[in-house]
Amino acid sequence: MWIRFVYQPITALYYGLYLQLLENDMIKTKRSVWELRRIWLIGFMLLPFSLLLGGWLGFNHAKEKALQQADERLNLYASSFEGAINRYEYLPWLVAQTPDVRRLLDEASDSLVNRVNQFLLNTRNTSMADEVYLMDSSGLTLVSSNFQTPETFVGNNYQFRPYFSDAMRTGRGEFFAIGTTTGLPGYFMSEQVISQQGTDLGVAVVKVNLEPLQADWQLAGEKVFVSDTNRIILLSSHPEWKYRYLNPLSDQQLDDLRRNRQFDGVELTPLGASSRADVLNMPSTEGETASYLNRSVELSRPGWRLHYLVSVEPLYQFALLSAAVVFILYILALTAILWMRERSRRAMAAVKAEQRLRALNDTLEDQVIERTAELQKRTTELERIQRELVQSEKLAALGIMAAGLSHELNQPLTAVKTYAASGKKLIAKGALEQAETILDKIMTLTSRMSDITSQLKVFVRQAPAQHLKADWSARITFVLDMLEHRIQQQGVDIKMDVPIKAMVRADDARIEQVLVNLISNALDAVVDCPIPELAINLHHHNQGWCLQIKDNGSGFSNDEIKHLFEPFYSTKKVGQGMGLGLFICYGLIQDLGGSIRAESRPSGGALFEVWLPSTEERTDEKAYAA
Ligand code: ADP
């Protein structure tokens, strides 16, 4: 039953510890949870064995110590027991040697009886024996130290006592018995009295009281008893065990006991003790049985044994304590193992993490070196491409410039060609004055062409020319005149809304270039129109002059508008357009500090608007966003 009281708190403590460890977050991964559980499982399975081992070792240790102590006490009590008897051993002999005693047995007389009675009383008082008395050869007590007491032995015959018969037979005798006269137990020692002539006269007896020994044992709180040859307890620290037999008595034994009246007046009962191995189960005062380890030693009296009982209960308690200590140590060790394991696991994890980090770092460094090398390679490559690009750009710019020049010179050259043809005809007719006018125009165009060729700055985007002045209205008239031949060929209806004079901050050549490009494009756009129309409108607007050229041609889509002013953007057939006219116009207008924009007219056709600052009042504000 006690095991339940041990097992339950241990299990509770164990499980509590387990939960605490779990809560302490010693477990991080599923794997470590399983490992931990395995350790706990093994620990749990080994725990009962450890507890049993601890308990067993504790029990044996306590038992060894208790038995050692029991043996020491046993020896002490045995020697005190022997001493208590031995100190009287001489006394029967001494009494038997006394001349008066011999004489009394030989020739009894009243005076001698009195004298010997007194002698025996003195002897008893001096020796502190219980009683001293003398029997004749028939076993009749003639004299006794208790001759004066009512329970005197005098006159009683103790022939049935073995100490008498033994003494008569062998010269000496001893016997433990309960007094038939007094009812008091005692140890009887006898000596045969022999006359000078050697005849058996009787027996001198000394009764020793051994009861005080029990008081000593009781006082020490120890369980001690003496058993005789019949395994009957004669003396005991526990009164309830006294005169009870350990082993069942045979009929022969019972017959002997009846004959020698050893336990006269006492009912002998079995003790009810049971023994298993070296453990003796004895009845206790509470009616229960208590278990003892039985240690015994043989006494000098034949068949007598002195027993010392060691209670088993404290041994079990010590075993339990040992098991508890083992349990605590076990749990501590298990926790220490887990803690150390966890610590090493974390240390390992830290080392691994560091290794991983180092490896990562190395990889990164390698990558950086690799990328740097690659970057360097690419930079070199890029620089090479850049150099090539610059070269290409230079060539492209050169190409644009060449194409631009060719584009811009195309119209005046055509005009020159037309004028030259007209001039030739006029000279042939003899209309020299008119021919001269034509030649003037050719000269003007030639000088314009030389202006255009000198306009390389269009491509280098120089700052706008300052202090320039041009009459925009006059330039419109000039360009229309230059394109007159084509206008008439196409049958285009030109609607003009232009003031007489519109001074802008620009030079004639650039304005003419812009006008030639815009009007030529408009004429191109209306080439397939049944009723081709062109409206030119010049009005004052926002500190400058705004020119609007509207046509009723094809117009352009929103997508086209985005690319109109880009170089080489053209929707015209190959050979008809280079896509440079609007690009050049844009550059020229920018140079002059003006703005240009295009839109598709809702009624169809295109609208180009050019704004240039007026010379009357300077302003940086632009009429339109380019
Ligand atoms: P090019 O006339 O050589 O093609 P431009 O730069 O002068 O080059 O014109 C670019 C394009 O703009 C033209 O191809 C044409 O599609 C479009 N464009 C210019 N003016 C007009 C216009 N008045 N109507 C319709 N489209 C035009």
Side-chain angles (χ1 to χ4, degrees):
M1 190 179 70
W2 61 271
I3 207 95
R4 195 155 50 97
F5 292 110
V6 178
Y7 171 77
Q8 281 174 352
I10 285 174
T11 314
L13 180 64
Y14 165 76
Y15 195 66
L17 267 169
Y18 171 69
L19 286 180
Q20 208 181 346
L21 281 170
L22 278 178
E23 273 172 22
N24 277 348
D25 203 20
M26 286 175 75
I27 313 112
K28 286 273 188 283
T29 61
K30 267 188 178 177
R31 195 169 144 259
S32 63
V33 168
W34 277 112
E35 272 179 27
L36 192 72
R37 282 189 184 160
R38 205 179 58 200
I39 291 175
W40 275 111
L41 197 70
I42 294 168
F44 187 73
M45 277 159 57
L46 290 177
L47 182 61
F49 296 106
S50 308
L51 292 180
L52 281 176
L53 186 70
W56 183 76
L57 287 173
F59 182 83
N60 277 331
H61 174 74
K63 182 181 165 186
E64 208 174 300
K65 287 216 81 171
L67 290 182
Q68 195 183 339
Q69 194 189 354
D71 288 344
E72 283 169 12
R73 303 295 288 171
L74 204 58
N75 288 332
L76 183 74
Y77 290 142
S79 63
S80 64
F81 178 86
E82 300 287 1
I85 293 176
N86 291 346
R87 58 194 259 232
Y88 296 104
E89 223 168 16
Y90 71 96
L91 203 53
W93 175 83
L94 196 70
V95 172
Q97 300 303 314
T98 309
D100 277 352
V101 169
R102 281 189 184 152
R103 207 174 310 135
L104 176 72
L105 290 173
D106 207 17
E107 41 183 282
S109 73
D110 287 347
S111 60
L112 202 56
V113 166
N114 288 339
R115 207 166 62 230
V116 174
N117 267 338
Q118 199 56 51
F119 166 70
L120 294 180
L121 178 64
N122 291 341
T123 305
R124 188 201 82 162
N125 290 343
T126 312
S127 66
M128 291 179 70
D130 198 32
E131 298 297 348
V132 184
Y133 54 99
L134 193 66
M135 291 183 286
D136 65 11
S137 54
S138 66
L140 181 70
T141 308
L142 298 178
V143 281
S144 173
S145 56
N146 61 354
F147 68 97
Q148 290 165 323
T149 61
E151 298 89 19
T152 182
F153 299 158
V154 177
N156 291 334
N157 193 313
Y158 298 116
Q159 181 228 330
F160 55 88
R161 293 293 200 191
Y163 63 79
F164 173 76
S165 49
D166 287 348
M168 288 299 287
R169 200 174 65 249
T170 64
R172 284 188 73 87
E174 49 191 3
F175 190 60
F176 178 88
I178 295 170
T180 50
T181 314
T182 58
L184 295 172
Y187 192 70
F188 299 86
M189 288 181 283
S190 57
E191 183 79 29
Q192 191 180 23
V193 183
I194 302 168
S195 68
Q196 298 281 352
Q197 292 76 28
T199 50
D200 301 339
L201 296 175
V203 175
V205 185
V206 172
K207 183 183 178 187
V208 179
N209 186 8
L210 296 175
E211 295 292 297
L213 285 172
Q214 300 173 122
D216 291 346
W217 300 339
Q218 259 175 350
L219 211 64
E222 285 165 335
K223 301 195 172 39
V224 184
F225 65 86
V226 173
S227 65
D228 69 0
T229 185
N230 294 323
R231 305 287 284 151
I232 297 170
I233 296 174
L234 306 177
L235 298 165
S236 169
S237 59
H238 278 53
E240 64 271 17
W241 296 345
K242 213 163 155 188
Y243 307 134
R244 300 177 77 177
Y245 50 87
L246 290 164
N247 294 347
L249 295 169
S250 65
D251 292 343
Q252 177 65 45
Q253 284 173 315
L254 286 170
D255 272 355
D256 288 348
L257 289 172
R258 260 194 298 275
R259 202 174 52 251
N260 60 36
R261 296 168 66 185
Q262 189 178 1
F263 298 99
D264 208 38
V266 173
E267 194 192 348
L268 292 173
T269 52
L271 183 64
S274 61
S275 61
R276 187 165 44 85
D278 55 348
V279 176
L280 194 63
N281 297 312
M282 299 283 275
S284 71
T285 32
E286 289 84 29
E288 291 180 1
T289 47
S291 300
Y292 300 96
L293 292 175
N294 181 19
R295 299 295 276 185
S296 64
V297 65
E298 199 164 346
L299 296 169
S300 58
R301 310 300 127 184
W304 283 32
R305 290 193 81 82
L306 178 68
H307 298 260
Y308 186 97
L309 300 184
V310 178
S311 181
V312 175
E313 193 63 29
L315 306 184
Y316 284 143
Q317 283 171 3
F318 192 79
L320 201 63
L321 190 73
S322 306
V325 169
V326 166
F327 174 72
I328 291 166
L329 291 175
Y330 190 87
I331 291 297
L332 284 175
L334 198 63
T335 312
I337 288 168
L338 284 169
W339 181 74
M340 272 156 57
R341 187 191 145 278
E342 183 61 20
R343 212 173 65 147
S344 71
R345 198 182 68 78
R346 285 188 185 178
M348 282 291 288
V351 168
K352 274 185 187 168
E354 201 184 316
Q355 280 174 350
R356 270 204 300 274
L357 207 67
R358 207 170 291 152
L360 202 69
N361 201 27
D362 290 349
T363 315
L364 274 175
E365 269 178 22
D366 288 351
Q367 277 181 357
V368 166
I369 292 166
E370 200 177 303
R371 297 269 159 88
T372 310
E374 200 176 324
L375 207 67
Q376 227 158 14
K377 204 171 134 193
R378 284 194 185 171
T379 310
T380 320
E381 180 73 2
L382 208 66
E383 281 171 358
R384 189 186 62 76
I385 292 169
Q386 241 173 0
R387 277 197 304 277
E388 280 178 14
L389 209 65
V390 168
Q391 198 64 25
S392 308
E393 272 180 2
K394 279 180 185 170
L395 288 171
L398 212 62
I400 291 170
M401 189 179 75
L405 277 174
S406 123
H407 182 274
E408 291 308 289
L409 291 174
N410 190 39
Q411 293 293 346
L413 270 173
T414 313
V416 167
K417 236 161 94 183
T418 313
Y419 284 144
S422 312
K424 201 176 164 188
K425 281 179 189 169
L426 288 170
I427 291 170
K429 279 181 193 171
L432 293 176
E433 252 181 63
Q434 284 174 314
E436 199 180 336
T437 312
I438 293 289
L439 286 173
D440 283 346
K441 282 182 182 174
I442 289 173
M443 280 175 68
T444 309
L445 280 174
T446 316
S447 91
R448 287 289 180 272
M449 283 192 287
S450 87
D451 283 350
I452 288 168
T453 51
S454 67
Q455 274 176 18
L456 291 174
K457 64 179 179 182
V458 167
F459 303 97
V460 290
R461 296 277 188 270
Q462 283 186 348
Q466 301 291 319
H467 313 299
L468 292 174
K469 260 185 183 179
D471 180 2
W472 209 346
S473 300
R475 292 305 98 209
I476 292 169
T477 314
F478 176 79
V479 170
L480 283 175
D481 184 48
M482 194 172 85
L483 298 170
E484 178 61 26
H485 180 68
R486 199 179 152 193
I487 292 166
Q488 280 184 1
Q489 242 184 3
Q490 283 185 230
V492 180
D493 180 19
I494 306 237
K495 289 191 174 79
M496 292 277 285
D497 182 9
V498 178
I500 299 167
K501 198 172 176 187
M503 297 304 291
V504 286
R505 211 167 54 235
D507 59 309
D508 290 350
R510 289 186 217 203
I511 287 187
E512 284 167 13
Q513 266 183 270
V514 171
L515 287 171
V516 165
N517 276 308
L518 293 181
I519 294 169
S520 298
N521 278 345
L523 291 173
D524 286 342
V526 298
V527 82
D528 294 326
C529 279
I531 310 163
E533 285 175 1
L534 204 70
I536 299 171
N537 173 293
L538 184 64
H539 59 274
H540 198 263
H541 174 77
N542 197 19
Q543 313 289 330
W545 288 95
C546 178
L547 172 75
Q548 287 185 328
I549 299 173
K550 300 176 195 167
D551 61 57
N552 62 344
S554 54
F556 22 67
S557 67
N558 287 340
D559 189 51
E560 283 172 346
I561 288 181
K562 289 181 201 162
H563 306 289
L564 287 180
F565 298 100
E566 288 174 7
F568 302 109
Y569 176 76
S570 174
T571 57
K572 293 172 189 169
K573 288 180 194 160
V574 182
Q576 288 183 3
M578 292 177 72
L580 284 170
L582 290 178
F583 169 68
I584 290 168
C585 287
Y586 184 85
L588 293 170
I589 297 297
Q590 289 286 311
D591 286 348
L592 295 170
S595 58
I596 181 168
R597 75 177 189 93
E599 68 175 49
S600 236
R601 296 173 64 200
S603 54
L607 161 68
F608 279 88
E609 253 183 19
V610 183
W611 178 90
L612 282 171
S614 165
T615 51
E616 280 125 36
E617 195 178 325
R618 276 199 60 184
T619 176
D620 291 333
E621 212 177 317
K622 292 178 182 177
Y624 313 104

